[in-house]
Amino acid sequence: MPAVIKGKAFVLGDDIDTDQIIPAQYLSYNPADPEERKYFGMYAMVGVPAAQSGLPKGDMRFVPEGQFTSPYTIVIGGRNFGCGSSREHAPLALAEAGAKAVVAEFYARIFYRNCVNGGYVLPCQCPKRLVDEISTGDECELDIEANTLTNHSTGKQYPLDPLGDAKPIIDAGGIFDYAAKAGMLKT
Amino acid sequence: MAKPMTMTEKIIAAHAGRDHVNPGDNVWVGVDVLMTHDVCGPGTIGIFKERFGQNAKVWDKDRVVIIPDHYIFTAEDKCHRNIQILRDFVREQGLKYYYDPDFVTSEPGMPNPYKDPTKTSYKGVCHKALPEEGHVRPGEILLGTDSHSCTAGAFGQLASGVGNTDAAFVLGTGKTWLKVPPTMKFTFRGQIPPYLTAKDLILAVIGEISVSGGTYKTMYFAGDGVSSLTLEDRMTLTNMVIEAGGKNGVCDVDEKTLQYVRARSNVDHWTVYKDDPGCAYDCEYEWDLGTLEPLVAKPYSPDNKDTAHNCRDVKIDRAYIGSCTGGKITDMIFAANLLSGHTVKIPTYVVPGSTEVHADMLRLNIQGQAKQEGEKSIYQVLEDAGCLISASSCAACLGGPMDTFGRLNEPMACISTTNRNFPGRMGHKDAGVYLASPLTAAATALTGYVTDPREYVSEPIATGSAGVL
């Protein structure tokens, strides 16, 4: 994982569920097929109601219509990000679109676990409600070592929660690499 | 003396080879059953092969259960292809438990459903089929690539949803890591009144603690109110713990549980765990069932609780009765008793939760007894009331492909016995879904407005041994 993640922020509200991140009608694509997998990027976040998509203004698409990748690198969310179904297609869709990290107040359990174990996007938590502090399009920088998020558009810096128990798995790149390093897997 | 533990802590300790665990501990556990389906199976199989090799074998071919159920009745060819991926994997691995939609062929277009629900290998919705087919027992750990895998906790086991990566890891190793959850205790006092079902109870819980109030936690349902429920209704409680963010939900094991498991389990031994006296709870809530009213969760969140009565002026365009939450045979009996002799005012879609439910709808009367000559079946009662009934699958509960039965393809208000009402969950982003019990959904179907079922129900509705034996 890079020590620093820089890019534009895309801001969402509370309880962004996996149906909003990747609506069920697109789950027939097989993520194991590299050609089909790209479509999860194309449809990432199309389920978010327009008024709540790209706060504070809204009516902004995470991925421009007809494209496979997003101009946004860091997703900012509120409470309970990724609630709902266990579909791993959700963190996968964010990663396919090019997002590197999510910073939320806290996560729904399975989404968080999928981010960590699958190594898709870095799931950071910030005790401060960033949804009210950061605007979609702001240039942000995550410093993994210092555990801070800086909004260069406003000059403000926010401390993040420590990654805690998940850190060794995140550092390894996911559960398979972690288990291999720990000698649990023969591969 | 050993420190007291909860049921969930004991199950994790036993599967981690430890005498004791504490909430917050991270432990590796052995998994008893891993379930996947047509939506997450292909991705899981892909990761399994990528990580363990093209010729790798699953850790135990008798402990992997594959139940296609999501995108079955659609003309979308990728969905048929995904079922074929499951079939190929089952054959290659020699898996013992696979429930094939044998009517899905290589022919393009919408598959013709099974003609007789008793004569197909297809089972329908995985969470209903798992206990029916004997894969659910007290004391075990069951993981599934579906968030509603927590349903099986009604049988006194640890059941939880996981993603494809976790599932692929289990496929290859039989193991996963778990953080031991603290347990929240929800006690229901009294007997369930005739106008309530377990759906009202779980909507009360989620409305109280919010859609994130159970995050990382076990939700334990206790009290004589829970004992008074059928196994199917207990499954409605544990099914929706994920809607509060819960890791798993559990009910105590009693004679009803054991009767079900003895009749169904394909393994003849299991271990019953219960909470030790004096074990620590994260928090405790209590309800008196005599004071609970029929509830709905209004758009767009399962915790947006209100009473059905308060919503009586809300006009509803469609009713939907189905899914792992509200498509069980007892749900059908509840709806049929209310609809019997009436005609629905709004389009009312009914989707049996499994092919067994479908068969029982044809076989049983609305008291849950084998129907006698001249008596109407549950199916006939619903059909005569004007309901549109399809073959079993997850159908419109999660929207799915555009041609899915009952999918909300335009903005409208729907009352539904399903589990989620986030924006777009059942199809269109602007459609508003009201989550409700099968009684409230059926009462609403008769009026076209959200309707308190007490306007129609006063006597207890018998369900016999429906859904058990």
Side-chain angles (χ1 to χ4, degrees):
Chain A
M1 192 202 317
V4 168
I5 295 171
K6 281 170 86 161
K8 286 187 166 51
F10 189 80
V11 184
L12 296 161
D14 295 320
D15 301 321
I16 297 299
D17 78 293
T18 54
D19 278 281
Q20 294 181 61
I21 299 171
I22 183 76
Q25 73 205 78
Y26 305 114
L27 300 185
S28 54
Y29 290 109
N30 182 2
D33 179 321
E35 275 308 301
E36 291 188 23
R37 188 179 173 102
K38 294 193 302 193
Y39 286 90
F40 292 109
M42 175 177 275
Y43 297 115
M45 236 90 96
V46 297
V48 180
Q52 281 102 55
S53 184
L55 297 175
K57 284 203 314 220
D59 266 329
M60 299 172 85
R61 283 185 68 116
F62 180 60
V63 177
E65 183 127 34
Q67 295 191 21
F68 289 100
T69 55
S70 170
Y72 303 101
T73 309
I74 300 172
V75 175
I76 306 290
R79 294 186 289 272
N80 203 28
F81 192 91
C83 60
S85 89
S86 65
R87 66 187 70 154
E88 194 158 305
H89 314 71
L92 184 150
L94 299 182
E96 279 300 303
K100 301 287 181 219
V102 181
V103 186
E105 280 177 77
F106 65 90
Y107 294 87
R109 190 187 69 83
I110 306 176
F111 179 87
Y112 184 80
R113 197 176 160 102
N114 287 342
C115 285
V116 170
N117 285 354
Y120 295 100
V121 287
L122 180 69
C124 300
Q125 294 195 158
C126 181
K128 183 102 181 162
R129 189 169 169 78
L130 297 179
V131 172
D132 302 330
E133 300 266 329
I134 297 174
S135 299
T136 297
D138 283 0
E139 289 290 343
C140 288
E141 181 172 336
L142 264 171
D143 186 324
I144 314 299
E145 290 309 312
N147 221 20
T148 55
L149 175 76
T150 305
N151 183 353
H152 290 301
S153 300
T154 61
K156 286 191 186 172
Q157 192 176 72
Y158 308 94
L160 304 174
D161 290 338
L163 290 170
D165 298 335
K167 189 161 191 314
I169 302 173
I170 290 171
D171 286 345
I175 193 64
F176 279 94
D177 300 297
Y178 173 79
K181 257 170 102 177
M184 287 184 60
L185 293 180
K186 288 184 215 107
T187 49
Chain B
M1 208 186 89
K3 198 175 152 201
M5 287 194 286
T6 65
M7 178 198 290
T8 297
E9 289 158 13
K10 288 180 184 178
I11 294 171
I12 293 177
H15 286 75
R18 297 192 180 197
D19 295 331
H20 194 270
V21 293
N22 287 305
D25 290 351
N26 284 303
V27 294
W28 287 92
V29 294
V31 174
D32 295 300
V33 175
L34 178 79
M35 187 281 302
T36 190
H37 51 46
D38 55 305
V39 162
C40 294
T44 299
I45 292 165
I47 297 171
F48 171 75
K49 291 193 173 255
E50 181 194 331
R51 293 293 186 157
F52 293 104
Q54 289 301 316
N55 300 316
K57 289 288 176 191
V58 301
W59 101 101
D60 187 335
K61 59 185 172 50
D62 296 347
R63 292 180 182 274
V64 178
V65 181
I66 300 187
I67 310 179
D69 58 356
H70 275 60
Y71 301 165
I72 308 299
F73 299 106
T74 169
E76 207 185 293
D77 55 359
K78 286 199 299 302
C79 301
H80 305 174
R81 184 275 318 268
N82 289 346
I83 291 166
Q84 195 53 49
I85 291 174
L86 300 180
R87 287 171 177 158
D88 293 344
F89 187 70
V90 167
R91 194 174 312 114
E92 162 202 309
Q93 297 285 331
L95 300 186
K96 191 170 173 187
Y97 299 112
Y98 170 62
Y99 302 99
D100 189 51
D102 45 9
F103 44 85
V104 176
T105 64
S106 52
E107 290 292 307
M110 179 69 80
N112 288 314
Y114 52 83
K115 289 197 175 61
D116 180 341
T118 64
K119 295 200 173 86
T120 171
S121 51
Y122 175 66
K123 293 298 164 194
V125 184
C126 58
H127 311 299
K128 183 70 182 82
L130 276 169
E132 283 174 3
E133 297 304 311
H135 303 297
V136 161
R137 284 167 287 282
E140 290 198 346
I141 294 182
L142 178 148
L143 299 180
T145 58
D146 190 291
S147 62
H148 291 107
S149 300
C150 49
T151 310
F155 295 83
Q157 66 168 183
L158 194 170
S160 195
V162 295
N164 297 352
T165 299
D166 271 329
F169 192 91
V170 175
L171 271 185
T173 65
K175 290 186 162 58
T176 196
W177 68 270
L178 291 177
K179 186 195 272 278
V180 180
T183 294
M184 309 170 83
K185 186 177 182 182
F186 302 92
T187 304
F188 290 95
R189 298 278 175 221
Q191 298 289 300
I192 184 113
Y195 47 84
L196 296 182
T197 79
K199 184 64 170 285
D200 299 292
L201 279 54
I202 191 64
L203 290 178
V205 169
I206 300 165
E208 181 72 25
I209 67 171
S210 90
V211 284
S212 58
T215 305
Y216 289 99
K217 295 174 183 171
T218 298
M219 296 169 66
Y220 165 42
F221 302 100
D224 55 338
V226 175
S227 311
S228 76
L229 301 176
T230 62
L231 249 297
E232 285 202 340
D233 240 8
R234 294 179 201 175
M235 287 165 69
T236 306
L237 291 179
T238 50
N239 172 274
M240 285 187 71
V241 301
I242 184 65
E243 269 56 76
K247 182 175 200 143
N248 67 312
V250 287
C251 297
D252 285 318
V253 174
D254 63 7
E255 202 39 51
K256 286 184 195 171
T257 326
L258 294 174
Q259 184 192 18
Y260 190 108
V261 174
R262 280 189 206 111
R264 306 263 188 169
S265 174
N266 50 25
V267 174
D268 60 8
H269 52 86
W270 52 81
T271 311
V272 175
Y273 297 98
K274 57 181 184 183
D275 288 18
D276 286 326
C279 68
Y281 296 113
D282 181 72
C283 56
E284 296 190 50
Y285 293 82
E286 198 165 318
W287 280 268
D288 175 356
L289 288 179
T291 62
L292 252 189
E293 290 188 61
L295 298 173
V296 296
K298 296 183 289 189
Y300 288 92
S301 182
D303 63 5
N304 194 11
K305 178 184 78 169
D306 206 342
T307 62
H309 180 75
N310 282 346
C311 298
R312 62 192 178 281
D313 294 329
V314 176
K315 196 173 173 312
I316 297 293
D317 305 303
R318 175 179 296 189
Y320 185 94
I321 298 169
S323 82
C324 53
T325 314
K328 304 182 289 305
I329 188 64
T330 49
D331 298 313
M332 298 300 171
I333 292 174
F334 290 139
N337 271 272
L338 203 138
L339 295 177
S340 179
H342 298 282
T343 303
V344 296
K345 263 218 175 98
I346 52 176
T348 300
Y349 291 75
V350 175
V351 185
S354 67
T355 48
E356 181 177 303
V357 171
H358 194 158
D360 282 347
M361 287 167 70
L362 296 164
R363 185 175 70 84
L364 302 177
N365 65 21
I366 62 169
Q367 285 85 43
Q369 309 290 341
K371 85 178 172 81
Q372 305 297 311
E373 191 69 34
E375 250 183 339
K376 280 188 186 179
S377 68
I378 298 163
Y379 195 100
Q380 282 172 306
V381 167
L382 293 173
E383 204 168 42
D384 290 352
C387 298
L388 306 157
I389 311 174
S390 84
S392 175
S393 81
C394 297
C397 170
L398 78 162
M402 298 298 286
D403 55 358
T404 300
F405 180 81
R407 190 180 192 277
L408 309 183
N409 285 335
E410 50 198 274
M412 62 168 81
C414 176
I415 192 145
S416 178
T417 66
T418 56
N419 42 56
R420 289 192 184 127
N421 60 349
F422 296 117
R425 169 69 178 177
M426 291 185 71
H428 200 286
K429 270 194 269 192
D430 297 323
V433 175
Y434 290 75
L435 302 177
S437 78
L439 292 172
T440 303
T444 300
L446 291 179
T447 63
Y449 290 85
V450 174
T451 300
D452 188 321
R454 283 175 291 189
E455 294 182 25
Y456 294 92
V457 184
S458 52
E459 295 299 312
I461 295 170
T463 59
S465 59
V468 180
L469 300 174

